[in-house]
Amino acid sequence: MSPGSQPSVSSRMLMGFAELVEEKCGIHYRSEDRDLLASKLETQSLRGGYESLFTYYDRLRNDDAEGAELRELIEALVIHETYFFREMAPLLELVDGTLAGIVQSGRRARVLSAGCSTGEEPLTLAMLLDERELLDGVELVACDVSTKAIARARSGKFGRRALRDDHSRPLASRYLTTSYDGATIDPRLHAAVRFEVVNIIDPVALATLGTFDAILCRNVLIYFADDRVLRVVNLLANSLHTSGLLVVGVAESLLRFGTPMVCEEQHGSFLYRKQR
Ligand SMILES: C[S@@+](CC[C@H](N)C(=O)[O-])C[C@H]1O[C@@H](n2cnc3c(N)ncnc32)[C@H](O)[C@@H]1O
């Protein structure tokens, strides 16, 4: 767009869609990703039988009191990429350091996997805890904004792509029953994780889950704009006990956001500790 010119109606509408999505779930579409957004919107608009993107937009903005149509759109936009045994080093640090210490002190620890997708992350944590006979001492809660992802997590069944990391075969053979089309988790382990549909940008919804000793929020904040990351990190910090730990993805860093959490290096993994 040349300086001073008006955006075309369609690019203005696209901006409107992008704002709506960001308002609802935090996912930010940078201007260079708007083509991707446009193509997903066209698919959704056709699926819903709308005459045009304009009528679809109008419906979302002005005639979707229950939010059902917007939820459908968000289901189509979220990226559920996850698999068992992903980014193991910080999970091992968490289990062998903080969680083992809390359980040995006689207290039951609480851990939240925020943005758990289809459940492979909290279930990997459950495997590590069970292997060390710590599982009974830790309450595991997992949440995602996507109803479909949580339904899948609750089913305890996983596709072949969930097993793409081959490094933890002993854990996989102990806790997963594999077949030609995927895997089923040991029901005892599955029962140890409570899966909930919760939008982590919603402070009221997040607060219903209670307070935790550690929160995993990995490969979720990358989809948010910087100001949103800071707000969400502050919300997650509110859901941590003093000295609680926040674990983000290995390619994510919170240092440039100036959060009140202090970054600690533990054997090559970076974890963020709540100070007060
Ligand atoms: C790429 S997956 C990461 C899954 C897992 N944490 C991992 O690292 O393997 C990102 C997940 O974040 C979820 N998500 C995105 N925005 C969210 C929000 N506002 N509240 C809760 N979950 C959200 C998506 O639905 C998706 O399942």
Side-chain angles (χ1 to χ4, degrees), residues 25 78-82 86 115 117 121 144-146 198-201 218-220 223-224:
C25 72
V78 282
I79 309 287
H80 292 313
E81 169 75 3
T82 191
R86 185 181 195 181
S117 186
E121 175 180 274
D144 201 282
V145 72
S146 163
V198 166
N199 183 346
I200 61 167
I201 75 167
R218 307 193 305 166
N219 308 300
V220 178
Y223 299 104
F224 297 173

Side-chain angles (χ1 to χ4, degrees), residues 88-246:
M88 284 288 264
L91 296 184
L92 286 163
E93 274 313 308
L94 185 65
V95 169
D96 292 330
T98 303
L99 298 179
I102 294 173
V103 176
Q104 278 150 19
S105 77
R107 184 165 71 77
R108 192 153 192 248
R110 297 191 83 229
V111 180
L112 173 66
S113 164
C116 68
S117 186
T118 41
E120 288 85 336
E121 175 180 274
L123 290 166
T124 298
L125 190 61
M127 291 180 199
L128 293 175
L129 290 165
D130 194 61
E131 223 192 2
R132 290 155 178 75
E133 300 187 353
L134 296 171
L135 186 57
D136 288 347
V138 182
E139 183 184 347
L140 295 171
V141 182
C143 74
D144 201 282
V145 72
S146 163
T147 307
K148 286 183 184 158
I150 291 297
R152 180 84 196 197
R154 285 180 180 153
S155 79
K157 294 190 172 67
F158 305 88
R160 287 213 68 82
R161 284 177 58 75
L163 291 167
R164 82 192 74 156
D165 187 322
D166 214 19
H167 290 97
S168 301
R169 257 198 217 150
L171 280 179
S173 55
R174 181 162 172 190
Y175 296 109
L176 293 163
T177 307
T178 50
S179 64
Y180 72 96
D181 62 348
T184 310
I185 186 85
D186 176 336
R188 187 177 56 81
L189 233 74
H190 191 230
V193 184
R194 178 158 67 89
F195 292 101
E196 300 286 352
V197 177
V198 166
N199 183 346
I200 61 167
I201 75 167
D202 176 347
V204 176
L206 188 62
T208 62
L209 299 176
T211 311
F212 297 90
D213 297 290
I215 298 179
L216 306 173
C217 187
R218 307 193 305 166
N219 308 300
V220 178
L221 301 173
I222 39 167
Y223 299 104
F224 297 173
D226 287 4
D227 58 336
R228 175 75 63 182
V229 171
L230 189 55
R231 274 187 278 161
V232 172
V233 168
N234 287 333
L235 285 182
L236 295 173
N238 289 342
S239 295
L240 280 171
H241 294 304
T242 302
S243 300
L245 287 171
L246 175 65

